[in-house]
Amino acid sequence: MLMAMLRPATLDPDLLRAFVLIAEERSFTRAAQMVGRTQSAVSMQVQRLEGILGQQLFHRGRGGQVDQTRHGQFLLDRAREMLALNDDIWRTFHQPSVSGQVRLGVPDDYALRFLPRVLMRFAEVHPDVEVDVVCAPSKELIPRLRTGELDLALVSEGDTAAGMGGEPLWTGPLVWIGSDRHATHKMDPLPLALSDPSCCWRLSAIQALETTGRRFRVAYTSSAQTGTLAPVMAGLAITMSPATALPEGVRVLGPEDGLPPLPNFQVLMLRAREARQPVTDALADYISETFAREAVKSSQAA
């Protein structure tokens, strides 16, 4: 009898989906419109979930806008994780398995940040697919995509070739990176470790410094992020990077360090015209979904 009393109730995925959608849209009305249901039906789903959990999940404000309560904030990330696991299980058993080879091009900094999650989840559902990963700068991946050497490529906005389009995956800030043990950012002229001259990130860094009149010199050049981070860790230069997946020994530098702001950057996914199907589509779907999840996590952290 005691065990039966302590056994927790099962959380209905449909109720969790309604909760997550309302939390993301901050509106019962918009959430109802997106799922094609009435607002009262969506409200009833939330009421059922609140009844099961015994806590209020939303504060209702002016103009129909809603915000999560403390308990709602606690639930949101966990609900996303539960739904992701539910969807992975469903997809594993119901999505047609594909086989063959898919060739993916990705710069090394994106590979370290995003690729492990993509490959792990993709392999769970499609274990018979051989993924050939080519790590190279964006400007080298684009011509290989054009000639059919690659099926998919992740590239930086600004490095894309005209007419190739591309699916936006990620938008985030570029930041200055320096050693956490050296005051390299105070040197004059400022020593930089940057990519090759055609890189859009390099052009952004130089333009930002020139606009503010900061003297600088390009001390190190490398087409790989590891090659630009090595002199930074040694205290010989500073560089620029997305503020994610940074190694030990470096830190983000900002206006308080006398450095100008940098623009946002965008990651795009490009497909070859003659990409192998359907294995290419399957991997592309997992890439899109992984980036979407990371974007949500980043927005919540902010």
Side-chain angles (χ1 to χ4, degrees):
M1 178 65 72
L2 179 60
M3 290 298 296
M5 293 176 60
L6 295 178
R7 184 178 300 154
T10 300
L11 296 178
D12 185 342
D14 288 340
L15 302 183
L16 292 177
R17 289 188 196 281
F19 163 75
V20 170
L21 191 56
I22 293 167
E24 292 176 349
E25 293 296 321
R26 302 184 68 186
S27 168
F28 280 80
T29 302
R30 288 196 298 271
Q33 291 172 345
M34 292 182 68
V35 296
R37 306 189 68 178
T38 64
Q39 181 176 336
S40 60
V42 173
S43 296
M44 288 181 62
Q45 287 182 300
V46 173
Q47 291 173 10
R48 286 177 56 196
L49 184 59
E50 289 177 333
I52 293 172
L53 297 175
Q55 299 291 342
Q56 183 180 349
L57 300 175
F58 291 111
H59 293 301
R60 292 156 178 82
R62 295 179 179 179
Q65 181 171 299
V66 297
D67 291 300
Q68 303 144 54
T69 64
R70 177 172 59 87
H71 292 98
Q73 293 172 353
F74 174 86
L75 177 61
L76 183 57
D77 286 341
R78 292 160 179 80
R80 288 194 180 109
E81 292 175 2
M82 289 179 64
L83 291 172
L85 180 59
N86 178 86
D87 293 345
D88 282 346
I89 294 172
W90 180 265
R91 188 184 296 112
T92 299
F93 284 92
H94 292 275
Q95 181 171 309
S97 183
V98 295
S99 60
Q101 183 191 52
V102 59
R103 302 159 301 179
L104 172 65
V106 56
D108 64 338
D109 44 348
Y110 298 168
L112 292 174
R113 175 68 176 88
F114 299 107
L115 210 53
R117 293 178 180 84
V118 172
L119 296 180
M120 179 182 67
R121 296 183 61 246
F122 184 73
E124 289 174 349
V125 180
H126 303 294
D128 295 328
V129 173
E130 177 188 348
V131 182
D132 183 5
V133 179
V134 176
C135 288
S138 296
K139 68 182 185 64
E140 295 181 16
L141 296 175
I142 293 169
R144 299 179 72 167
L145 197 73
R146 285 189 179 278
T147 58
E149 296 178 54
L150 297 173
D151 301 305
L152 291 169
L154 307 186
V155 301
S156 301
E157 181 187 29
D159 287 325
T160 56
M164 295 200 69
E167 176 186 343
L169 295 175
W170 175 275
T171 300
L174 288 170
V175 294
W176 297 104
I177 303 296
S179 168
D180 63 4
R181 297 186 297 109
H182 303 87
T184 315
H185 58 284
K186 295 182 179 180
M187 297 176 65
D188 184 27
L190 181 68
L192 301 178
L194 301 176
S195 186
D196 58 82
S198 63
C199 174
C200 61
W201 290 7
R202 173 177 173 140
L203 298 175
S204 296
I206 291 175
Q207 182 178 12
L209 293 171
E210 289 179 340
T211 299
T212 59
R214 179 70 185 269
R215 298 200 322 147
F216 66 90
R217 67 184 182 90
V218 179
Y220 300 90
T221 299
S222 175
S223 61
Q225 187 186 43
T226 51
T228 56
L229 284 174
V232 172
M233 297 171 70
L236 301 174
I238 71 168
T239 189
M240 58 188 303
S241 167
T244 55
L246 296 176
E248 294 184 6
V250 302
R251 70 178 181 93
V252 174
L253 304 172
E256 66 278 7
D257 300 299
L259 294 168
L262 293 168
N264 280 358
F265 77 103
Q266 190 173 61
V267 181
L268 301 176
M269 179 167 61
L270 305 179
R271 302 186 189 219
R273 295 184 183 276
E274 304 298 331
R276 306 175 189 189
Q277 308 294 345
V279 63
T280 298
D281 288 341
L283 179 58
D285 289 344
Y286 272 83
I287 292 173
S288 297
E289 185 178 338
T290 300
F291 272 84
R293 290 182 182 181
E294 290 298 315
V296 169
K297 289 181 182 179
S298 294
S299 64
Q300 290 296 316

